Amino acid sequence: MITGFILRAFDGKIIIAAAILLAVAALVPALNMLTTPGSFFHIPTYAVSLMGKYLCYALLALALDLVWGFCGILSLGHGAFFALGGYAMGMYLMRQIGTRGVYGNPLLPDFMVFLNWKELPWFWSGFDMFWFAMIMVLVVPGLLAFIFGWFAFRSRVNGVYLSIITQAMTYALMLAFFRNDMGFGGNNGLTDFKDILGFSVQSDGMRSILFAMSAIMLTLCLIIASAITRSKFGKVLVGVRDAESRVRFLGFRVENIKLFTFVVSAMMAGIAGALFVPQVGIINPGEFAPANSIEVVVWTAVGGRGTLIGPIIGAVLVNGGKSFFTGAFPEIWLFALGGLFIATTLLLPKGIVGTVQHGWNARKAMKAAAEAEKGRDRESQVPQAAE
């Protein structure tokens, strides 16, 4: 049953995308580790980390596309799930510092010593174990999504009202995490990480491993999302997006469908945040900022909502452009981002991949119509030849 569910995920586009991602996961670390810095093919470590960050953003955009593109839930709070996954990983990394911190306390992180905390808060317990932290990467965002979705979907909150509530949720979390007494580092957040599983976070080898893991997890989540959307459940999901009242009339529990999809999407976002933190070296409340969640919507729209592959492309292209333009034209980047979203909405309402798919399908339809017309012409000529 599970095998059949996974096999349904593999159509031509997904196979090609997965193959490309896996090839990138192997090729980029190899070019970083096995070539000399002077070589034309060498990829420097900073570029590996930068591309790894793009892949984490791509996974976040994929998570949003699952709920927005296929279920019609425009979430403006997915940055919260991303940040919570990042904080779970950050807490593990902070526990690994031990006596190597500024104050040399074997148990308390530096910021707690500075704030005169006497003991480790209960919610930090267990984060010295990698397996526990990885479970929390999934459980914390998933639990928040479950609680939020349980009340929102059963109250039948839809459309712009739901979007505003999700934005309010991430804004409230940002204000809460800014407080020093929350126990998460306040404004400075969590940083000064040393190692993962005993290996230095700053080493070239660990940077390459983190990049490869980002590409592999993006591939795995792409396959899972494709399996969900191409299953019978996925067809009902699209029905909820296009005609929720009709699906409800047919007897489906729409709120359960939305809740399941929302929780799965939140877990994917949490994984993206967990992979993001060790590659950038910090996690702070700024990741909860509503503007970050809105930016994810831009990536998804630019790439193509409801295509799975489109948001991945959109996230990489937009963030690649952001890295270039913030260095070349720092004063106009925000205007360029807004202009890009407006231009996409007006000129490419289906996004890059959606527009290409639409053009390809239209071309195939025209070709099929032409073939059918030729067939009718040949059939009409047969009786005339017989006479």
Side-chain angles (χ1 to χ4, degrees):
M1 182 177 178
I2 296 177
T3 303
F5 175 76
I6 296 298
L7 289 177
R8 279 194 293 268
F10 292 99
D11 66 353
K13 299 185 293 295
I14 298 299
I15 291 174
I16 293 173
I20 291 174
L21 287 171
L22 293 177
V24 168
L27 183 61
V28 170
L31 293 178
N32 172 252
M33 301 293 294
L34 302 179
T35 59
T36 59
S39 172
F40 175 77
F41 297 101
H42 180 71
I43 298 178
T45 301
Y46 81 87
V48 174
S49 295
L50 186 63
M51 289 186 288
K53 185 175 76 170
Y54 294 163
L55 292 179
C56 295
Y57 286 151
L59 179 51
L60 177 58
L62 173 66
L64 178 65
D65 190 42
L66 185 61
V67 293
W68 184 33
F70 292 91
C71 197
I73 302 172
L74 177 54
S75 170
L76 297 181
H78 258 53
F81 307 129
F82 179 83
L84 288 173
Y87 266 97
M89 173 60 83
M91 291 166 72
Y92 164 77
L93 295 172
M94 292 297 290
R95 292 295 306 273
Q96 299 307 299
I97 296 175
T99 57
R100 292 172 293 175
V102 174
Y103 297 100
N105 191 298
L107 187 62
L108 299 180
D110 285 338
F111 73 88
M112 292 186 184
V113 178
F114 179 77
L115 295 173
N116 293 319
W117 288 55
K118 301 305 180 184
E119 58 182 13
L120 195 70
W122 64 268
F123 48 83
W124 277 75
S125 300
F127 278 95
D128 55 330
M129 297 177 287
F130 182 79
W131 65 267
F132 180 84
M134 294 306 99
I135 291 176
M136 291 299 104
V137 165
L138 297 174
V139 169
V140 176
L143 183 61
L144 175 63
F146 181 83
I147 295 172
F148 176 88
W150 178 273
F151 290 103
F153 301 142
R154 274 163 174 72
S155 300
R156 299 193 181 183
V157 180
N158 291 307
V160 66
Y161 302 104
L162 181 62
S163 300
I164 292 173
I165 293 175
T166 57
Q167 192 172 53
M169 173 190 68
T170 189
Y171 185 68
L173 286 170
M174 182 185 72
L175 295 179
F177 273 70
F178 265 119
R179 295 170 58 90
N180 287 328
D181 56 5
M182 280 288 290
F184 296 105
N187 182 52
N188 295 323
L190 309 178
T191 187
D192 194 30
F193 308 134
K194 304 298 184 183
D195 52 44
I196 301 177
L197 296 174
F199 298 96
S200 173
V201 174
Q202 303 299 330
S203 66
D204 292 352
M206 181 52 68
R207 295 287 180 175
S208 294
I209 291 173
L210 288 169
F211 173 87
M213 286 302 301
S214 299
I216 291 170
M217 290 307 301
L218 177 57
T219 304
L220 180 61
C221 289
L222 175 62
I223 293 172
I224 292 173
S226 179
I228 291 173
T229 55
R230 289 173 60 83
S231 65
K232 293 179 180 179
F233 177 85
K235 293 180 173 60
V236 177
L237 201 63
V238 174
V240 172
R241 180 194 67 188
D242 295 338
E244 180 178 333
S245 58
R246 294 185 180 183
V247 175
R248 196 181 297 277
F249 179 76
L250 290 173
F252 289 97
R253 295 292 299 269
V254 171
E255 57 273 16
N256 291 344
I257 294 170
K258 288 183 175 182
L259 185 60
F260 172 81
T261 311
F262 197 62
V263 170
V264 171
S265 176
M267 289 182 174
M268 289 183 180
I271 294 172
L275 290 166
F276 173 83
V277 168
Q279 296 185 82
V280 300
I282 188 172
I283 177 70
N284 60 38
E287 295 299 332
F288 287 102
N292 292 348
S293 297
I294 295 173
E295 199 168 332
V296 182
V297 174
V298 174
W299 307 338
T300 306
V302 169
R305 170 193 171 196
T307 62
L308 295 181
I309 297 173
I312 296 174
I313 296 174
V316 173
L317 288 179
V318 173
N319 283 286
K322 182 178 180 179
S323 297
F324 173 78
F325 285 110
T326 49
F329 310 102
E331 299 86 0
I332 67 170
W333 162 245
L334 291 177
F335 297 101
L337 181 64
L340 175 65
F341 188 54
I342 293 172
T344 300
T345 303
L346 295 177
L347 304 177
L348 298 173
K350 298 180 182 296
I352 297 172
V353 174
T355 301
V356 171
Q357 284 184 349
H358 179 74
W360 178 257
N361 292 336
R363 183 175 178 274
K364 288 199 300 184
M366 291 177 61
K367 186 177 179 179
E371 292 292 336
E373 184 65 27
K374 290 180 181 179
R376 286 193 293 269
D377 290 343
R378 285 194 295 267
E379 290 175 359
S380 64
Q381 291 173 3
V382 170
Q384 295 177 2
E387 292 175 359

